[in-house]
Amino acid sequence: MIQDDIRTLEADACARIGAAATLEQLEAIRVEALGRKGVLAQISKEMGKLAPEERAQAGKLLNAAKQLLEEAFERRKREFDESRLAARLDAEWLDLTLPAPGPRPGSLHPITQIQMEIEDLFVSLGFMVLDGPEVETEYHNFDALNIPRDHPARDAQDTFWLTDGNLLRTHTSPVQVRGMERFRPPLRMIAPGRVFRNESVDASHEHTFYQIEGMMIDHDVSVAHLLYFMKTLLREVFRRDVSLRLRPGFFPFVEPGFELDVQCFICGGAGCPVCKQSGWVEQLGCGLVNPNVLRTSGIDPEQWSGFAFGLGLTRLVMMRYGVEDIRLLQSGDLRFLRQF
Ligand code: FA5
């Protein structure tokens, strides 16, 4: 019976409309029931075969079913639209009464932070903080430091020479000379600053990096004084006991000269790219001031002696914070800098 088919279609479609989970499912149900080739259209075709009074009755039933289903579809569609809108409003909700985030406060670069800590330490130990020019004379960078004309450090590989015969200082040691020229002993000074070397860059070498120079001239200054200050310095910077290693090192301006290494914090001494697999990272050169250097600056080495050190500040910062690549420090990358 066609009437039964219509009632079954109506009940079945109503149940499926109610259960539709998405707009797409709902549309599929609509096409299947009410579309041009849908179930309702099929039934409508079948009605041609009925007797006239039966057809009129079935026609009424069919129209009522069509109207009911169309209304049910519309209702369900409105429900979907409303819940979509509610979800969007929820997601795009703004609390306009909240205070604005405001400017993000800046912070000092980690190199500056550690430089200031070291300055404070040495000032508390009676040292002056001196500054020197980044563009230096050959005399202050080399000659007055007893670095002979044929020393490899003067090689064009390492030094950025300027066309006027001056150079970008390759270390902070020229400030020792400027300090001795300006002040008479007894003398205690440190000199932090930027230095430049024409060398290839890797995880632990930069062409532009920071050093802190230190010098103390007094009567009877010995290696014991030097070691005391170096241990105090490194304990303060690393805030823990550090393993140090002293190796003989050659610097023409000190005699005897040493290289001081710190056990690599990155790998704990096991070996990594920063320590070149050795477990140790070179932090500073140091020694007792060569009498020739004192003499060149007009200080009598018979009366006075001293120690000097040149610390790789950039490498020290790497060790303190576990920075694995020196290039990050001057990359200007805010994602890196915001960690300090
Ligand atoms: C010097 O520059 C001497 N003027 C140090 C000195 C001063 C010795 C006073 C004795 C008395 P050196 O070239 O080794 O020495 O450099 C000192 C430190 O700077 C090194 O120990 C290392 O920590 C750091 N350093 C050297 N080259 C680089 C580089 N390319 N990148 C980053 N750090 C470096």
Side-chain angles (χ1 to χ4, degrees), residues 170-173 176 197 199 204-207 209-211 213-214 251 253-254 258-259 282-287 308-315 326:
T170 56
H171 52 177
T172 42
S173 299
Q176 286 183 26
R197 289 187 195 178
E199 59 177 293
S204 56
H205 290 83
E206 263 288 11
H207 48 73
F209 57 100
Y210 288 80
Q211 287 188 339
E213 195 75 11
F251 302 96
F253 34 98
V254 286
F258 307 102
E259 303 252 23
E282 180 191 317
Q283 295 290 342
L284 58 93
C286 55
F309 65 89
L311 169 86
L313 179 58
T314 310
R315 293 236 183 110
I326 195 168

Side-chain angles (χ1 to χ4, degrees), residues 84-143:
R84 240 184 221 190
L85 183 66
R88 202 176 132 200
L89 285 178
D90 224 29
E92 294 179 4
W93 183 82
L94 287 178
D95 183 352
L96 298 179
T97 65
L98 279 178
R104 190 195 282 264
S107 59
L108 293 175
H109 192 282
I111 293 180
T112 312
Q113 290 180 27
I114 298 202
Q115 179 184 322
M116 288 166 82
E117 281 179 28
I118 295 174
E119 285 178 12
D120 285 350
L121 170 72
F122 276 94
V123 166
S124 78
L125 295 169
F127 283 67
M128 303 183 279
V129 180
L130 299 186
D131 204 6
E134 290 178 345
V135 172
E136 261 298 2
T137 62
E138 184 176 4
Y139 172 79
H140 287 94
N141 199 81
F142 293 128
D143 299 328

